[in-house]
Amino acid sequence: MLRYVRHIPPYLPTILVVVFICYASLFSDPFPEQERWLNFPGSDKLVHFIMYGGLTATFCFDYHRRHAESLKLWLFVVVLTVAIVLGVGMEWLQMSMALGRTGDILDVVANSLGACLGVVTGNKIFAKLFAIYRLQK
């Protein structure tokens, strides 16, 4: 299965996740006629956590399929900073665009915590996964 991963263009999955986050964050009803399966107080914070954790974990996936070494500290900081700035930017745009969306500081906190967890776990998981794959080749 992992042998097919090398055919995916570099960082395309990460770019697609960023596009999805922008779409989901900036449209007033990005998924119309969808049943809301997460319908409890604070469920939107969980969604924010998952989206930004998925973003940074996807970056780790993209990085480790091309590099054998773990993320350097400077790259770790850059990935976190970019994800947090994206999250703040999306919330600011929601407040500014008047499309029926509102920005929320707790969404920024959920985005940031998700990004932190995603980059830490993504780095560990994908470093090991691709190291095992390289050993099997």
Side-chain angles (χ1 to χ4, degrees):
M1 177 72 168
L2 286 178
R3 67 176 175 252
Y4 299 111
V5 169
R6 62 188 160 108
H7 298 294
I8 300 170
Y11 298 98
L12 178 64
T14 301
I15 293 167
L16 292 174
V17 171
V18 169
V19 168
F20 171 80
I21 287 173
C22 291
Y23 174 76
S25 297
L26 297 178
F27 285 86
S28 59
D29 191 11
F31 307 105
E33 301 177 17
Q34 287 290 98
E35 183 178 330
R36 306 287 185 223
W37 55 275
L38 282 176
N39 195 12
F40 57 88
S43 62
D44 66 314
K45 306 308 180 249
L46 178 61
V47 170
H48 282 266
F49 183 86
I50 292 168
M51 284 193 315
Y52 283 82
L55 171 61
T56 55
T58 303
F59 174 83
C60 292
F61 165 81
D62 280 333
Y63 177 83
H64 285 296
R65 68 191 179 113
R66 303 228 178 257
H67 302 91
E69 71 275 357
S70 190
L71 283 177
K72 306 269 191 275
L73 179 61
W74 69 269
L75 188 55
F76 185 89
V77 170
V78 167
V79 170
L80 269 180
T81 302
V82 168
I84 291 169
V85 167
L86 177 67
V88 169
M90 290 295 110
E91 294 303 313
W92 181 80
L93 285 171
Q94 285 178 354
M95 287 188 303
S96 303
M97 293 176 63
L99 293 174
R101 305 292 298 259
T102 58
D104 184 0
I105 190 67
L106 293 178
D107 288 348
V108 172
V109 172
N111 297 343
S112 301
L113 291 174
C116 289
L117 183 65
V119 75
V120 169
T121 57
N123 187 43
K124 288 182 180 183
I125 290 169
F126 293 118
K128 287 181 183 177
L129 179 70
F130 285 107
I132 291 169
Y133 174 71
R134 287 182 187 97
L135 288 175
Q136 292 176 351
K137 278 177 93 175

